[in-house]
Amino acid sequence: MGLANESSVTTPKGAGPRSMNEDREMEILRAAYELLADVGYEALRLDAVANRAKASKATIYRHWAGKAELVAAAVRSCSTVETHIPDTGSLRGDLLASVGHLASSIAGYDGPVFAALIMAMRNDPEFANQMRAMQVSKRPIIEAILGRAQARGELKPGCDAGLLEEIGPGLIFMHVFALGEPVDDAFVRHIVDDILLPLLTPCGCQ
Amino acid sequence: MGLANESSVTTPKGAGPRSMNEDREMEILRAAYELLADVGYEALRLDAVANRAKASKATIYRHWAGKAELVAAAVRSCSTVETHIPDTGSLRGDLLASVGHLASSIAGYDGPVFAALIMAMRNDPEFANQMRAMQVSKRPIIEAILGRAQARGELKPGCDAGLLEEIGPGLIFMHVFALGEPVDDAFVRHIVDDILLPLLTPCGCQ
Amino acid sequence: MGLANESSVTTPKGAGPRSMNEDREMEILRAAYELLADVGYEALRLDAVANRAKASKATIYRHWAGKAELVAAAVRSCSTVETHIPDTGSLRGDLLASVGHLASSIAGYDGPVFAALIMAMRNDPEFANQMRAMQVSKRPIIEAILGRAQARGELKPGCDAGLLEEIGPGLIFMHVFALGEPVDDAFVRHIVDDILLPLLTPCGCQ
Amino acid sequence: MGLANESSVTTPKGAGPRSMNEDREMEILRAAYELLADVGYEALRLDAVANRAKASKATIYRHWAGKAELVAAAVRSCSTVETHIPDTGSLRGDLLASVGHLASSIAGYDGPVFAALIMAMRNDPEFANQMRAMQVSKRPIIEAILGRAQARGELKPGCDAGLLEEIGPGLIFMHVFALGEPVDDAFVRHIVDDILLPLLTPCGCQ
DNA sequence: TCATAAGCGAGACGGTACGTCGTGTCTTACG
DNA sequence: CGTAAGACACGACGTACCGTCTCGCTTATGA
């Protein structure tokens, strides 16, 4: 029972009005992210963000330069893209899991958030790089999947890992944005079975 | 501070005010399109459009409901996408021509216009349909190319025409938007040689 | 206000939104003046003015540079000081009428408006001059009063008209501002009987 | 490197090694008063006061309720009005000294401070009373002057001491505020010779 | 040929969001 | 404990833009 000096405790008790500046940032980002998903970029009002976060506009502008930067940070911080390496035992299973997760992530940004990403990337090149890095961060996943497939002899020789990086997101993006259709399992299977597998595995004429 | 507005050349008489209303529409659309390419959707000011077209905001709003509709119409009218069916004598040549043209068109919307399209499509579903129809309008081109290839026996049996529709634009879009890289001939060849042809032609392992 | 309302010719809609720009100015000034009297200078919110005048802040700022200028113009336009020359047949009667009217005018600016005048005069030298000119405009009144009194032989020889200009306002101002007391008839009589008349008429000691 | 040299510590306290709070108050008031004279009431920022006094806003708000109270206290503490009873041997000399001192005091609050007083009095009735008490505190001076004059037989019978209280400040205030002119000796002589003395001394027609 | 009607350039206007700033409260760290 | 430092909520300010509206001018039509 160290009676002595527990002042080092950072008052984890939530009851009182805490006012650290590390938490506020995150709370504001969450508020921004949720409103973003609700109403989209254009209709996102900073007053509404401040109100929902019980923050003040001054605080927002103390941390971010404007709407675009706030949205960029919000998406960066609250986006649910995770880097999980699937291992289902087969190339097809891995691809289905990987593409499926990507699809649900992107489709989760359905509708309004998409425009937000575009705007945020356009107005914040640094955020654009971040987003692209997020994309690049999937590289190890892809290589792990392909590595195991190669070990199992499922892979066509000389196939490029970069292919997966491009095709999956491109098609999903196309589907959601240009076609405006939701991304469902059938579409994921279509990508995997009709496009990726034929490109990766030994000729389907087998 | 405020933008410089030095165009206050009153020209009480001088510039003869013509009174046709059919041309005005097009001039306004051109002004909107050019400004759109210059500054993007967000920074596009209807005052600036009116000023550049030497028109009045009232005239603009007499013809279109708002910014989104104006941009939609501008892109629709001024976009350079043409529907030309290439015939080079080989599947690869046709694909290179087709994808190359698509790439240069999309890449021509470099930077700002892309966001414009997103916003316009989001705010104007009818325009979104129009854009998607533009996409669909390429269907006959694709079918013509594949038809000739099939006649030449270049095609793998059972390949889907829909594939071309999805993959080309998706990859180009990905390249321009997500990666932020320009679309050059090498990339077009990459799409054709490494992705499209392997999917369309009998397996190269043969 | 009491102005002729000839605008009924235009706007056939009747209840429709009228939009002349000459009247708006006056309506805004009235709104500002009334709110000014209600809440004072500090508590005067331009939003409130805009709201009461059913105007927009942009319109206010298009016409005036800021709060001080708006208040200055409002006081200038809406102040009720009129230049009426009293003629009661006696010097005392004229003085009572003149000082009484001045007193009720100044006292009408009771409380809040006084601070407004100070601020407006400090922030708008041109308005300060206007206010001082308003003061000067009473000169003819004074001279008329004194002229008639002289003709009646009521006046002490060599008395200065400038005296009236200074003493009346100074005392009233002092009373309202520094003492914070209302200006009533007794005080007006005090000024006239105990100060002005002794200074103007042949010595009452006789 | 030197180890025990604690003199390099910033020690912003400077001259005050101990932490008394009686001096701080005065330093803050001085800072407020000086800034007040510099920039006026409206432009007086509490941050600036805190900064100049090397104090914290919290300290200020621990001692005073707000800007008005701070300014009131500052003027109360730092104002240079003194209560000195002149004795020149003649009524005219006493009046010249008394009015002259009052004039220089008021005129010393030239420009910005005047608005400050108005605002402070309006927002702090208690301060308004204080200011009026300051005015009232001159009563003994007036009575002393008049008493000596009466003893010398300079005074007209039945003249009111209250007259002096009202006329002097009223005229000076008028001069400075409404006319915007500086108060010089000539004006002081004008008040004394043309207004006060005629009202106080036996009729000049004698 | 002139008058009436309509379209247009110009721009003021109401409304609303933005981004800045100042006040007054509150928390942390220091002495 | 009292203080310096400064983050914070609240809210007003002044700016910018959108979409509506009215004016005055010009042009195209009908008698």
Side-chain angles (χ1 to χ4, degrees), chain B:
Chain B
M1 296 305 292
L3 298 176
N5 189 355
E6 60 195 339
S7 68
S8 62
V9 181
T10 50
T11 63
K13 295 292 299 177
R18 83 282 314 280
S19 67
M20 280 311 292
N21 62 353
E22 198 59 35
D23 303 331
R24 300 308 290 139
E25 193 164 326
M26 197 55 205
E27 292 177 30
I28 293 171
L29 289 178
R30 278 230 70 83
Y33 189 75
E34 290 165 12
L35 283 174
L36 185 65
D38 276 356
V39 301
Y41 184 85
E42 265 203 329
L44 179 66
R45 308 292 167 225
L46 291 197
D47 281 334
V49 175
N51 196 29
R52 175 183 263 254
K54 288 207 183 310
S56 152
K57 278 203 300 176
T59 303
I60 293 179
Y61 281 100
R62 204 173 296 123
H63 288 299
W64 300 278
K67 186 155 109 168
E69 286 75 10
L70 174 64
V71 168
V75 172
R76 207 173 324 172
S77 295
C78 304
S79 172
T80 61
V81 282
E82 27 169 335
T83 56
H84 167 65
I85 302 182
D87 187 357
T88 64
S90 74
L91 175 58
R92 183 171 182 273
D94 289 352
L95 289 177
L96 282 176
S98 178
V99 172
H101 180 261
L102 177 64
S104 63
S105 288
I106 292 186
Y109 301 145
D110 65 324
V113 182
F114 243 89
L117 296 184
I118 307 282
M119 306 305 296
M121 288 178 74
R122 284 206 45 71
N123 292 313
D124 182 1
E126 195 260 339
F127 169 63
N129 289 334
Q130 208 92 10
M131 288 295 285
R132 286 162 194 151
M134 197 180 80
Q135 177 67 18
V136 169
S137 73
K138 304 191 76 64
R139 200 64 188 269
I141 305 180
I142 295 170
E143 287 174 346
I145 292 175
L146 291 188
R148 286 197 303 267
Q150 180 135 32
R152 285 188 295 258
E154 294 175 297
L155 232 54
K156 169 163 71 178
C159 70
D160 186 12
L163 238 52
L164 277 176
E165 233 174 63
E166 294 171 347
I167 297 179
L171 288 174
I172 294 169
F173 193 103
M174 220 30 213
H175 211 68
V176 172
F177 159 67
L179 286 320
E181 294 177 9
V183 176
D184 54 4
D185 286 350
F187 182 66
V188 172
R189 280 196 299 271
H190 167 59
I191 293 178
V192 170
D193 290 335
D194 298 339
I195 297 174
L196 294 182
L197 282 180
L199 284 172
L200 293 172
T201 57
C203 47
C205 62
Q206 194 74 308

Side-chain angles (χ1 to χ4, degrees), chain D residues 13 30 41 67 110 194 199:
Chain D
K13 304 175 65 176
R30 278 230 69 84
Y41 183 84
K67 187 156 110 169
D110 67 324
D194 298 339
L199 284 172

Side-chain angles (χ1 to χ4, degrees), chain C residues 97-134:
Chain C
S98 178
V99 173
H101 179 261
L102 177 64
S104 63
S105 287
I106 292 186
Y109 301 145
D110 65 325
V113 183
F114 242 89
L117 295 184
I118 305 284
M119 306 305 299
M121 287 178 76
R122 283 208 47 70
N123 291 314
D124 182 0
E126 197 260 339
F127 168 63
N129 288 334
Q130 209 92 11
M131 289 295 286
R132 286 159 194 153
M134 197 180 80

Side-chain angles (χ1 to χ4, degrees), chain C residues 118 132 173 177-178 190 203 205, chain D residues 118 132 173 177-178 203 205:
Chain C
I118 305 284
R132 286 159 194 153
F173 193 103
F177 158 66
H190 168 59
C203 47
C205 61
Chain D
I118 306 283
R132 285 160 194 153
F173 194 104
F177 158 67
C203 47
C205 61

